[in-house]
PDB file of all heavy atoms in Angstrom:
ATOM      1  N   VAL A1042     168.997  21.047 122.297  1.00  0.00           N
ATOM      2  CA  VAL A1042     167.623  20.748 121.934  1.00  0.00           C
ATOM      3  C   VAL A1042     167.515  19.205 121.786  1.00  0.00           C
ATOM      4  O   VAL A1042     166.688  18.473 122.283  1.00  0.00           O
ATOM      5  CB  VAL A1042     167.204  21.411 120.656  1.00  0.00           C
ATOM      6  CG1 VAL A1042     165.891  20.927 120.183  1.00  0.00           C
ATOM      7  CG2 VAL A1042     167.158  22.943 120.901  1.00  0.00           C
ATOM      8  N   LEU A1043     168.492  18.590 121.039  1.00  0.00           N
ATOM      9  CA  LEU A1043     168.612  17.187 120.819  1.00  0.00           C
ATOM     10  C   LEU A1043     168.682  16.468 122.203  1.00  0.00           C
ATOM     11  O   LEU A1043     167.971  15.516 122.489  1.00  0.00           O
ATOM     12  CB  LEU A1043     169.868  16.765 119.985  1.00  0.00           C
ATOM     13  CG  LEU A1043     170.076  15.338 119.726  1.00  0.00           C
ATOM     14  CD1 LEU A1043     168.959  14.833 118.870  1.00  0.00           C
ATOM     15  CD2 LEU A1043     171.385  15.147 118.941  1.00  0.00           C
ATOM     16  N   PHE A1044     169.616  16.980 123.074  1.00  0.00           N
ATOM     17  CA  PHE A1044     169.768  16.335 124.394  1.00  0.00           C
ATOM     18  C   PHE A1044     168.524  16.253 125.192  1.00  0.00           C
ATOM     19  O   PHE A1044     168.338  15.404 125.947  1.00  0.00           O
ATOM     20  CB  PHE A1044     170.827  17.232 125.146  1.00  0.00           C
ATOM     21  CG  PHE A1044     171.914  16.379 125.698  1.00  0.00           C
ATOM     22  CD1 PHE A1044     172.937  15.965 124.853  1.00  0.00           C
ATOM     23  CD2 PHE A1044     171.979  16.171 127.095  1.00  0.00           C
ATOM     24  CE1 PHE A1044     173.972  15.234 125.329  1.00  0.00           C
ATOM     25  CE2 PHE A1044     173.121  15.432 127.547  1.00  0.00           C
ATOM     26  CZ  PHE A1044     174.076  14.966 126.720  1.00  0.00           C
ATOM     27  N   SER A1045     167.709  17.291 125.008  1.00  0.00           N
ATOM     28  CA  SER A1045     166.450  17.364 125.817  1.00  0.00           C
ATOM     29  C   SER A1045     165.504  16.246 125.514  1.00  0.00           C
ATOM     30  O   SER A1045     164.578  16.028 126.275  1.00  0.00           O
ATOM     31  CB  SER A1045     165.791  18.778 125.620  1.00  0.00           C
ATOM     32  OG  SER A1045     165.243  18.855 124.309  1.00  0.00           O
ATOM     33  N   PHE A1046     165.697  15.608 124.351  1.00  0.00           N
ATOM     34  CA  PHE A1046     164.853  14.391 123.998  1.00  0.00           C
ATOM     35  C   PHE A1046     165.454  13.187 124.254  1.00  0.00           C
ATOM     36  O   PHE A1046     164.918  12.040 124.125  1.00  0.00           O
ATOM     37  CB  PHE A1046     164.522  14.462 122.552  1.00  0.00           C
ATOM     38  CG  PHE A1046     163.661  15.669 122.064  1.00  0.00           C
ATOM     39  CD1 PHE A1046     164.173  16.753 121.428  1.00  0.00           C
ATOM     40  CD2 PHE A1046     162.312  15.698 122.459  1.00  0.00           C
ATOM     41  CE1 PHE A1046     163.432  17.825 121.020  1.00  0.00           C
ATOM     42  CE2 PHE A1046     161.497  16.741 122.059  1.00  0.00           C
ATOM     43  CZ  PHE A1046     162.092  17.822 121.396  1.00  0.00           C
ATOM     44  N   TRP A1047     166.694  13.178 124.976  1.00  0.00           N
ATOM     45  CA  TRP A1047     167.315  11.994 125.540  1.00  0.00           C
ATOM     46  C   TRP A1047     167.015  11.825 126.945  1.00  0.00           C
ATOM     47  O   TRP A1047     166.447  12.694 127.569  1.00  0.00           O
ATOM     48  CB  TRP A1047     168.802  11.988 125.304  1.00  0.00           C
ATOM     49  CG  TRP A1047     169.325  12.098 123.939  1.00  0.00           C
ATOM     50  CD1 TRP A1047     168.426  11.841 122.802  1.00  0.00           C
ATOM     51  CD2 TRP A1047     170.554  12.144 123.324  1.00  0.00           C
ATOM     52  NE1 TRP A1047     169.225  11.876 121.634  1.00  0.00           N
ATOM     53  CE2 TRP A1047     170.468  11.993 122.012  1.00  0.00           C
ATOM     54  CE3 TRP A1047     171.831  12.380 123.909  1.00  0.00           C
ATOM     55  CZ2 TRP A1047     171.574  12.243 121.168  1.00  0.00           C
ATOM     56  CZ3 TRP A1047     172.947  12.459 123.118  1.00  0.00           C
ATOM     57  CH2 TRP A1047     172.900  12.425 121.837  1.00  0.00           C
ATOM     58  N   THR A1048     167.399  10.758 127.569  1.00  0.00           N
ATOM     59  CA  THR A1048     167.275  10.490 129.066  1.00  0.00           C
ATOM     60  C   THR A1048     168.554   9.978 129.556  1.00  0.00           C
ATOM     61  O   THR A1048     169.413   9.408 128.826  1.00  0.00           O
ATOM     62  CB  THR A1048     166.212   9.508 129.349  1.00  0.00           C
ATOM     63  OG1 THR A1048     166.280   8.390 128.464  1.00  0.00           O
ATOM     64  CG2 THR A1048     164.774  10.147 129.230  1.00  0.00           C
ATOM     65  N   GLN A1049     168.676  10.140 130.900  1.00  0.00           N
ATOM     66  CA  GLN A1049     169.991   9.708 131.423  1.00  0.00           C
ATOM     67  C   GLN A1049     169.663   8.980 132.777  1.00  0.00           C
ATOM     68  O   GLN A1049     168.816   9.531 133.623  1.00  0.00           O
ATOM     69  CB  GLN A1049     170.890  10.919 131.723  1.00  0.00           C
ATOM     70  CG  GLN A1049     172.272  10.424 132.322  1.00  0.00           C
ATOM     71  CD  GLN A1049     173.299  11.594 132.173  1.00  0.00           C
ATOM     72  OE1 GLN A1049     172.982  12.616 131.642  1.00  0.00           O
ATOM     73  NE2 GLN A1049     174.418  11.358 132.672  1.00  0.00           N
ATOM     74  N   LEU A1054     173.662   7.224 129.278  1.00  0.00           N
ATOM     75  CA  LEU A1054     172.912   8.191 128.407  1.00  0.00           C
ATOM     76  C   LEU A1054     172.078   7.277 127.465  1.00  0.00           C
ATOM     77  O   LEU A1054     172.636   6.487 126.768  1.00  0.00           O
ATOM     78  CB  LEU A1054     173.728   9.159 127.676  1.00  0.00           C
ATOM     79  CG  LEU A1054     173.201  10.399 127.248  1.00  0.00           C
ATOM     80  CD1 LEU A1054     172.673  11.234 128.406  1.00  0.00           C
ATOM     81  CD2 LEU A1054     174.263  11.228 126.501  1.00  0.00           C
ATOM     82  N   ASP A1055     170.705   7.516 127.512  1.00  0.00           N
ATOM     83  CA  ASP A1055     169.866   6.721 126.530  1.00  0.00           C
ATOM     84  C   ASP A1055     169.452   7.632 125.452  1.00  0.00           C
ATOM     85  O   ASP A1055     168.750   8.600 125.691  1.00  0.00           O
ATOM     86  CB  ASP A1055     168.623   6.221 127.344  1.00  0.00           C
ATOM     87  CG  ASP A1055     167.686   5.375 126.473  1.00  0.00           C
ATOM     88  OD1 ASP A1055     167.958   5.373 125.272  1.00  0.00           O
ATOM     89  OD2 ASP A1055     166.748   4.914 127.022  1.00  0.00           O
ATOM     90  N   THR A1056     169.903   7.263 124.280  1.00  0.00           N
ATOM     91  CA  THR A1056     169.651   8.281 123.136  1.00  0.00           C
ATOM     92  C   THR A1056     168.432   8.048 122.341  1.00  0.00           C
ATOM     93  O   THR A1056     168.307   8.561 121.187  1.00  0.00           O
ATOM     94  CB  THR A1056     170.943   8.295 122.202  1.00  0.00           C
ATOM     95  OG1 THR A1056     171.059   6.930 121.719  1.00  0.00           O
ATOM     96  CG2 THR A1056     172.122   8.770 122.882  1.00  0.00           C
ATOM     97  N   THR A1057     167.521   7.187 122.926  1.00  0.00           N
ATOM     98  CA  THR A1057     166.139   7.106 122.249  1.00  0.00           C
ATOM     99  C   THR A1057     165.482   8.381 122.434  1.00  0.00           C
ATOM    100  O   THR A1057     165.430   8.985 123.458  1.00  0.00           O
ATOM    101  CB  THR A1057     165.405   6.024 122.955  1.00  0.00           C
ATOM    102  OG1 THR A1057     166.241   5.045 123.595  1.00  0.00           O
ATOM    103  CG2 THR A1057     164.481   5.258 121.933  1.00  0.00           C
ATOM    104  N   LEU A1058     164.875   8.873 121.317  1.00  0.00           N
ATOM    105  CA  LEU A1058     164.121  10.165 121.390  1.00  0.00           C
ATOM    106  C   LEU A1058     162.839   9.933 122.081  1.00  0.00           C
ATOM    107  O   LEU A1058     162.099   9.089 121.845  1.00  0.00           O
ATOM    108  CB  LEU A1058     163.826  10.725 120.009  1.00  0.00           C
ATOM    109  CG  LEU A1058     165.111  11.025 119.227  1.00  0.00           C
ATOM    110  CD1 LEU A1058     164.699  11.701 117.813  1.00  0.00           C
ATOM    111  CD2 LEU A1058     165.975  12.080 119.858  1.00  0.00           C
ATOM    112  N   THR A1059     162.599  10.803 123.147  1.00  0.00           N
ATOM    113  CA  THR A1059     161.350  10.683 123.904  1.00  0.00           C
ATOM    114  C   THR A1059     160.952  12.082 124.448  1.00  0.00           C
ATOM    115  O   THR A1059     161.807  12.910 124.587  1.00  0.00           O
ATOM    116  CB  THR A1059     161.634   9.705 125.123  1.00  0.00           C
ATOM    117  OG1 THR A1059     160.523   9.971 125.987  1.00  0.00           O
ATOM    118  CG2 THR A1059     162.953   9.896 125.775  1.00  0.00           C
ATOM    119  N   PHE A1060     159.633  12.146 124.729  1.00  0.00           N
ATOM    120  CA  PHE A1060     159.087  13.430 125.276  1.00  0.00           C
ATOM    121  C   PHE A1060     159.179  13.321 126.804  1.00  0.00           C
ATOM    122  O   PHE A1060     158.604  14.226 127.511  1.00  0.00           O
ATOM    123  CB  PHE A1060     157.729  13.579 124.851  1.00  0.00           C
ATOM    124  CG  PHE A1060     157.766  14.401 123.426  1.00  0.00           C
ATOM    125  CD1 PHE A1060     157.514  13.621 122.276  1.00  0.00           C
ATOM    126  CD2 PHE A1060     158.058  15.686 123.311  1.00  0.00           C
ATOM    127  CE1 PHE A1060     157.504  14.276 121.099  1.00  0.00           C
ATOM    128  CE2 PHE A1060     158.006  16.288 122.019  1.00  0.00           C
ATOM    129  CZ  PHE A1060     157.768  15.578 120.931  1.00  0.00           C
ATOM    130  N   ASP A1061     159.772  12.260 127.391  1.00  0.00           N
ATOM    131  CA  ASP A1061     159.653  12.088 128.893  1.00  0.00           C
ATOM    132  C   ASP A1061     160.009  13.243 129.704  1.00  0.00           C
ATOM    133  O   ASP A1061     159.377  13.626 130.694  1.00  0.00           O
ATOM    134  CB  ASP A1061     160.419  10.836 129.267  1.00  0.00           C
ATOM    135  CG  ASP A1061     159.823   9.528 128.984  1.00  0.00           C
ATOM    136  OD1 ASP A1061     158.666   9.551 128.416  1.00  0.00           O
ATOM    137  OD2 ASP A1061     160.355   8.487 129.255  1.00  0.00           O
ATOM    138  N   ASN A1062     161.148  13.891 129.320  1.00  0.00           N
ATOM    139  CA  ASN A1062     161.635  15.059 130.124  1.00  0.00           C
ATOM    140  C   ASN A1062     160.665  16.142 130.104  1.00  0.00           C
ATOM    141  O   ASN A1062     160.364  16.788 131.148  1.00  0.00           O
ATOM    142  CB  ASN A1062     162.977  15.499 129.515  1.00  0.00           C
ATOM    143  CG  ASN A1062     163.992  14.532 129.667  1.00  0.00           C
ATOM    144  OD1 ASN A1062     164.139  13.818 130.658  1.00  0.00           O
ATOM    145  ND2 ASN A1062     164.876  14.392 128.650  1.00  0.00           N
ATOM    146  N   TYR A1063     160.030  16.408 128.900  1.00  0.00           N
ATOM    147  CA  TYR A1063     159.085  17.560 128.739  1.00  0.00           C
ATOM    148  C   TYR A1063     157.841  17.158 129.615  1.00  0.00           C
ATOM    149  O   TYR A1063     157.257  18.031 130.168  1.00  0.00           O
ATOM    150  CB  TYR A1063     158.741  17.729 127.304  1.00  0.00           C
ATOM    151  CG  TYR A1063     159.871  18.442 126.588  1.00  0.00           C
ATOM    152  CD1 TYR A1063     160.778  17.767 125.898  1.00  0.00           C
ATOM    153  CD2 TYR A1063     159.958  19.809 126.613  1.00  0.00           C
ATOM    154  CE1 TYR A1063     161.892  18.358 125.232  1.00  0.00           C
ATOM    155  CE2 TYR A1063     160.988  20.463 125.984  1.00  0.00           C
ATOM    156  CZ  TYR A1063     162.048  19.711 125.303  1.00  0.00           C
ATOM    157  OH  TYR A1063     163.048  20.369 124.671  1.00  0.00           O
ATOM    158  N   ARG A1064     157.474  15.800 129.516  1.00  0.00           N
ATOM    159  CA  ARG A1064     156.233  15.507 130.306  1.00  0.00           C
ATOM    160  C   ARG A1064     156.485  15.708 131.803  1.00  0.00           C
ATOM    161  O   ARG A1064     155.709  16.299 132.500  1.00  0.00           O
ATOM    162  CB  ARG A1064     156.034  13.994 130.063  1.00  0.00           C
ATOM    163  CG  ARG A1064     154.558  13.585 130.252  1.00  0.00           C
ATOM    164  CD  ARG A1064     154.260  12.247 129.732  1.00  0.00           C
ATOM    165  NE  ARG A1064     154.377  12.099 128.315  1.00  0.00           N
ATOM    166  CZ  ARG A1064     155.087  11.156 127.704  1.00  0.00           C
ATOM    167  NH1 ARG A1064     155.753  10.252 128.329  1.00  0.00           N
ATOM    168  NH2 ARG A1064     155.072  11.145 126.353  1.00  0.00           N
ATOM    169  N   GLU A1065     157.732  15.353 132.264  1.00  0.00           N
ATOM    170  CA  GLU A1065     158.099  15.503 133.715  1.00  0.00           C
ATOM    171  C   GLU A1065     158.054  16.983 134.018  1.00  0.00           C
ATOM    172  O   GLU A1065     157.569  17.462 135.024  1.00  0.00           O
ATOM    173  CB  GLU A1065     159.338  14.839 133.939  1.00  0.00           C
ATOM    174  CG  GLU A1065     159.711  14.676 135.433  1.00  0.00           C
ATOM    175  CD  GLU A1065     161.040  14.195 135.755  1.00  0.00           C
ATOM    176  OE1 GLU A1065     161.626  13.444 134.928  1.00  0.00           O
ATOM    177  OE2 GLU A1065     161.551  14.589 136.835  1.00  0.00           O
ATOM    178  N   PRO A1264     170.059  15.618 130.526  1.00  0.00           N
ATOM    179  CA  PRO A1264     168.943  15.721 129.620  1.00  0.00           C
ATOM    180  C   PRO A1264     167.798  16.667 130.247  1.00  0.00           C
ATOM    181  O   PRO A1264     167.135  17.491 129.544  1.00  0.00           O
ATOM    182  CB  PRO A1264     168.455  14.331 129.311  1.00  0.00           C
ATOM    183  CG  PRO A1264     169.773  13.638 129.449  1.00  0.00           C
ATOM    184  CD  PRO A1264     170.464  14.279 130.542  1.00  0.00           C
ATOM    185  N   MET A1265     167.485  16.429 131.532  1.00  0.00           N
ATOM    186  CA  MET A1265     166.534  17.225 132.194  1.00  0.00           C
ATOM    187  C   MET A1265     166.918  18.694 132.316  1.00  0.00           C
ATOM    188  O   MET A1265     166.213  19.561 132.093  1.00  0.00           O
ATOM    189  CB  MET A1265     166.308  16.659 133.623  1.00  0.00           C
ATOM    190  CG  MET A1265     165.112  17.271 134.316  1.00  0.00           C
ATOM    191  SD  MET A1265     163.589  16.662 133.434  1.00  0.00           S
ATOM    192  CE  MET A1265     162.488  18.099 133.777  1.00  0.00           C
ATOM    193  N   THR A1268     166.381  20.102 129.042  1.00  0.00           N
ATOM    194  CA  THR A1268     164.943  20.336 128.751  1.00  0.00           C
ATOM    195  C   THR A1268     164.532  21.675 129.355  1.00  0.00           C
ATOM    196  O   THR A1268     163.814  22.581 128.757  1.00  0.00           O
ATOM    197  CB  THR A1268     164.075  19.208 129.313  1.00  0.00           C
ATOM    198  OG1 THR A1268     164.592  18.073 128.826  1.00  0.00           O
ATOM    199  CG2 THR A1268     162.663  19.384 129.003  1.00  0.00           C
TER     200      THR A1268
END
Side-chain angles (χ1 to χ4, degrees):
Chain A
V1042 172
L1043 180 64
F1044 232 74
S1045 69
F1046 293 104
W1047 292 355
T1048 45
Q1049 185 163 357
L1054 204 57
D1055 180 355
T1056 58
T1057 334
L1058 297 180
T1059 160
F1060 278 102
D1061 283 0
N1062 295 321
Y1063 286 94
R1064 205 168 295 128
E1065 191 186 335
M1265 192 64 209
T1268 307

